[in-house]
Amino acid sequence: MLFAMIAKDAPGALQTRLDTRPAHLDHLNSLGKKLVFAGALLNAEEQPEGSIVVFEAVDLAEAEALAAADPFVPAGVFSSYEVKRWRIAVNTTGVEL
């Protein structure tokens, strides 16, 4: 099953995000094939203001654990995040998901 983590950055968290980014990327890379895709949500100035991470998990509990393990969470980068079951409706990438 696929799950999406949708996160909003805390006000003023850009420097914390930048400082924590190497650990965040290490975490994402450690997920291996569980990670489908990940990236920052950008504001009008092209600065990060949140994140979307889509991963495969057996259930919501595992998906929530994967999200909570992201170093951005304990570092305080996110003011909030939620994990939701996600279903692909259209896929034009040519990649089988």
Side-chain angles (χ1 to χ4, degrees):
M1 290 189 274
L2 296 177
F3 294 86
M5 178 178 82
I6 304 119
K8 296 288 188 164
D9 285 8
L14 180 58
Q15 190 59 53
T16 304
R17 173 185 268 275
L18 295 174
D19 294 344
T20 311
R21 190 169 187 265
H24 165 71
L25 293 175
D26 285 346
H27 167 70
L28 293 176
N29 286 321
S30 78
L31 297 177
K33 292 191 176 240
K34 286 183 182 258
L35 179 65
V36 177
F37 62 79
L41 297 168
L42 303 176
N43 64 20
E45 291 79 39
E46 297 290 312
Q47 295 296 313
E49 66 176 8
S51 296
I52 295 178
V53 180
V54 175
F55 36 76
E56 191 170 352
V58 295
D59 57 25
L60 181 59
E62 180 188 9
E64 288 175 337
L66 291 171
D70 187 319
F72 278 176
V73 173
V77 172
F78 301 141
S79 63
S80 66
Y81 71 93
E82 61 181 332
V83 178
K84 298 283 190 179
R85 176 86 166 88
W86 185 64
R87 178 179 58 220
I88 297 172
V90 176
N91 177 4
T92 63
T93 66
V95 176
E96 186 176 327
L97 299 175

